């Protein structure tokens, strides 16, 4: 609630990003917005007070490997300072970022992940088996992991989507990482090139592309 994600999209991506509050990408079937919150610094302060947390005692470093992370981090740094939390931003090379965040010996980091569907995203970012891998927030939620395993085992698509909706609601409540935005994919085409359908993550389905006269 302390982070102005609209400002982040403008500062880091020149507006070519979609601010998001859901823990899972909203374009996938099964993603839920239930339990999400919005930018509300006063509510963030109230939540800290409710749990008897003095924000001046919280200090941490955010790691990034690119300029976009620096710009996004500057917004977060300002937002968090506004509620009394001090953070610093450190830029390291991508190899170093991957090495450091593969261990628990860091405080915070900007990262990104692309999945072809919601189940792939869940398995990699929240499943306990992915800790020390793509589950870089190291979420350890046995109930959520069990739901993911259940969704993996089900062949019937509507039943699987229903389970993923339940898992999405749970992920919104037990946040291990803070989602900030969905990247936008912009493509330009020759007027004779027809792409009737793109994948949810923006990639072309090349088997469907064709030329017209």
């Amino acid at each position: 609630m302390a982070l102005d994600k609209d400002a982040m999209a403008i500062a880091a991506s020149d507006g070519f990003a979609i601010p998001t509050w859901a823990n899972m990408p909203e374009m996938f079937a099964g993603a839920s917005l239930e339990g999400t919150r919005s930018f509300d610094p006063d509510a963030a302060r109230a939540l800290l007070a409710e749990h008897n947390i003095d924000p001046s005692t919280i200090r941490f470093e955010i790691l990034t490997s690119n300029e976009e992370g620096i710009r996004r981090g500057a917004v977060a740094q300002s937002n968090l300072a506004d509620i009394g939390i001090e953070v610093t931003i450190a830029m390291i090379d991508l190899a170093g970022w991957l090495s450091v965040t593969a261990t628990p010996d860091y405080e915070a980091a900007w990262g990104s992940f692309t999945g072809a569907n919601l189940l792939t995203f869940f398995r990699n970012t929240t499943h306990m088996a992915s800790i020390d891998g793509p589950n870089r927030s190291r979420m350890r939620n046995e109930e959520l992991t069990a739901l993911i395993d259940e969704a993996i085992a089900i062949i019937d698509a509507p039943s699987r989507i229903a389970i993923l909706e339940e898992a999405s609601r749970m992920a919104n409540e037990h946040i291990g990482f803070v989602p900030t935005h969905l990247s936008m994919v912009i493509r330009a085409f020759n007027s004779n090139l027809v792409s009737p359908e793109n994948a949810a993550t923006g990639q072309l389905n090349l088997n469907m592309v064709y030329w017209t006269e």
Side-chain angles (χ1 to χ4, degrees), residues 90-126:
M91 184 171 177
I92 58 178
D93 63 273
L94 180 57
W97 186 96
L98 291 169
S99 176
V100 171
T101 59
T103 75
D105 298 327
Y106 74 100
E107 295 174 316
W110 291 116
S112 61
F113 187 83
T114 300
N117 52 59
L118 188 59
L119 185 54
T120 299
F121 198 95
F122 259 125
R123 286 184 71 176
N124 284 277
T125 60
T126 64

Side-chain angles (χ1 to χ4, degrees), residues 55-114:
S56 67
T57 64
I58 304 175
R59 292 182 176 85
F60 58 91
E61 180 181 68
I62 303 176
L63 300 177
T64 182
S65 64
N66 54 54
E67 289 294 334
E68 181 178 317
I70 291 288
R71 295 193 297 272
R72 198 175 302 280
V75 175
Q77 188 177 42
S78 175
N79 292 156
L80 292 170
D82 186 47
I83 65 170
I85 296 174
E86 181 182 336
V87 303
T88 56
I89 315 296
M91 184 171 177
I92 58 178
D93 63 273
L94 180 57
W97 186 96
L98 291 169
S99 176
V100 171
T101 59
T103 75
D105 298 327
Y106 74 100
E107 295 174 316
W110 291 116
S112 61
F113 187 83
T114 300

Side-chain angles (χ1 to χ4, degrees), residues 14 25 29 37-38 56 59 73 77 101 121 135 151 165 187 207:
D14 295 323
R37 301 179 181 184
S38 58
S56 67
R59 292 182 176 85
Q77 188 177 42
T101 59
F121 198 95
N135 180 358
E165 287 176 350
R187 299 185 182 277
N207 61 308

Side-chain angles (χ1 to χ4, degrees), residues 139-160:
M139 284 186 70
R140 296 179 181 272
N141 188 313
E142 293 183 359
E143 188 177 357
L144 180 57
T145 291
L147 280 175
I148 297 168
D149 288 337
E150 186 179 351
I152 292 170
I154 288 182
I155 297 175
D156 178 65
S159 298
R160 183 171 60 251

Side-chain angles (χ1 to χ4, degrees), residues 3-57:
L3 299 178
D4 187 347
K5 297 176 183 180
D6 289 295
M8 287 183 183
I10 294 170
S13 307
D14 295 323
F16 290 99
I18 303 169
T20 182
W21 294 88
N23 200 261
M24 295 293 118
E26 301 160 30
M27 69 279 199
F28 291 133
S32 173
L33 296 176
E34 185 177 330
T36 58
R37 301 179 181 184
S38 58
F39 178 50
D40 190 342
D42 288 335
R45 294 186 190 95
L47 189 61
L48 288 168
E50 178 185 337
H51 291 275
N52 297 314
I53 297 173
D54 179 359
S56 67
T57 64

